[in-house]
Amino acid sequence: MLFRKPAPRFYVNARAIIERETPQGTEVLLQRREKSGEPRRLEFPGGQLEPFEGILTALLREVREETGLTVTALLDPPNERVSNSSGGEVECLTPSFVYQTRRGPVDSVGFFFRVWAEGELTRAGDHAAGHSWVPLADLRRRLDAEPETFDWLTQGALGFYLQRAWA
């Protein structure tokens, strides 16, 4: 009898860097991962796209499920264009930035969007809790001094986000 090795899982994700302006400067929303068997580290809201779900649709859904907030604005122009033909529908857009895991516990590609959001922040959402607003200056210090506070993917994304002109 031949045994087939299961096909590796590949994930496509939409993630949000939710920003808000305060008199002290820009803050971003972080949450703690609350999923059985996974370390409880800080991360940005977001998650996996469902089959044939649009990237922006997934972003809005994931933010709502994990934080209770509603995305009100994309801070970088998405330049979204949807094309329909007899063969199917294609969504093309420009995220704030893209990531690809090249090694680690999961194989994934994802799209980060800087956004504003409104509403009542939930105490606990879909595999997420401990939501907190963190000033950018504190975020830089924490990433340098305590990188293990963040999950491995968020460490990479934060390094990129904090070096950009918008940060």
Side-chain angles (χ1 to χ4, degrees):
M1 172 183 247
L2 294 174
F3 292 97
R4 285 189 175 183
K5 185 177 177 181
R9 295 286 316 242
F10 182 77
Y11 300 96
V12 178
N13 298 298
R15 299 189 176 273
I17 299 177
I18 303 172
E19 297 182 359
R20 75 176 181 186
E21 293 302 321
T22 70
Q24 293 75 36
T26 303
E27 295 179 338
V28 297
L29 183 69
L30 290 172
Q31 63 188 25
R32 188 177 62 248
R33 185 75 166 159
E34 292 287 338
K35 194 167 186 181
S36 179
E38 293 187 20
R40 294 189 173 8
R41 298 212 169 101
L42 296 177
E43 65 177 9
F44 290 112
Q48 188 176 347
L49 275 68
E50 301 294 333
F52 295 106
E53 180 179 31
I55 297 166
L56 292 176
T57 302
L59 176 75
L60 302 177
R61 176 183 54 77
E62 287 288 344
V63 167
R64 186 81 173 148
E65 289 175 356
E66 294 184 359
T67 69
L69 301 176
T70 300
V71 171
T72 58
L74 299 173
L75 300 179
D76 301 302
N79 305 311
E80 184 184 23
R81 182 173 188 271
V82 176
S83 175
N84 285 293
S85 70
S86 60
E89 183 176 288
V90 176
E91 176 184 47
C92 297
L93 54 79
T94 307
S96 297
F97 63 93
V98 176
Y99 75 87
Q100 176 188 356
T101 60
R102 295 176 28 166
R103 182 177 54 82
V106 295
D107 191 6
S108 66
V109 125
F111 308 96
F112 270 95
F113 295 87
R114 293 181 329 116
V115 304
W116 284 338
E118 294 178 352
E120 185 74 29
L121 193 56
T122 187
R123 287 181 53 95
D126 186 28
H127 302 296
H131 300 89
S132 61
W133 292 100
V134 181
L136 285 185
D138 291 348
L139 199 54
R140 284 186 178 95
R141 280 194 290 277
R142 283 177 83 176
L143 183 60
D144 289 342
E146 305 170 78
E148 68 283 352
T149 303
F150 307 96
D151 76 358
W152 62 281
L153 191 140
T154 303
Q155 288 177 34
L158 273 173
F160 186 83
Y161 170 73
L162 292 171
Q163 79 178 3
R164 301 291 299 181
W166 60 64

